[in-house]
Amino acid sequence: MKPKPDPNMPWAIPLAAVELIADAEGLSLVAYRCLAGKLTCGWGETDGVGPGMVWTQEYADQRFCDSMTERVNAVLEACTRKPTPNQ
């Protein structure tokens, strides 16, 4: 069974969307170089990832949640009207 992000975290998007992204990214708790050549860890995080890094799933989930919140806030700032949760 594939791991899933913690559903109890304060996700900025619907949990179904979080799970869709997580399924596409997959979870790696050890840093690896993705096809684009970037070091990646967790649920596809690249910011601040270094060679040999090892994360717990709890840390990967928190980074994913924080990253989603930052991106959602940036999109909301650019919107001229409030989007629906599924937009």
Side-chain angles (χ1 to χ4, degrees):
M1 187 164 150
K2 284 181 161 183
K4 299 272 187 202
D6 183 351
N8 299 312
M9 297 193 81
W11 297 103
I13 59 175
L15 185 58
V18 170
E19 290 177 349
L20 185 67
I21 295 166
D23 284 344
E25 288 292 340
L27 175 64
S28 177
L29 299 178
V30 177
Y32 69 97
R33 198 163 296 278
C34 72
L35 293 175
K38 292 201 164 252
L39 283 169
T40 307
C41 202
W43 299 102
E45 295 293 328
T46 57
D47 291 342
V49 176
M53 280 188 159
V54 177
W55 292 0
T56 63
Q57 181 168 349
E58 292 78 16
Y59 183 71
D61 289 353
Q62 187 63 58
R63 287 281 305 258
F64 186 26
C65 186
D66 293 346
S67 178
M68 292 282 37
T69 299
E70 286 177 31
R71 284 163 172 75
V72 166
N73 288 338
V75 168
L76 290 175
E77 284 181 28
C79 290
T80 57
R81 57 188 170 144
K82 186 175 180 177
T84 66
N86 289 323
Q87 288 178 316

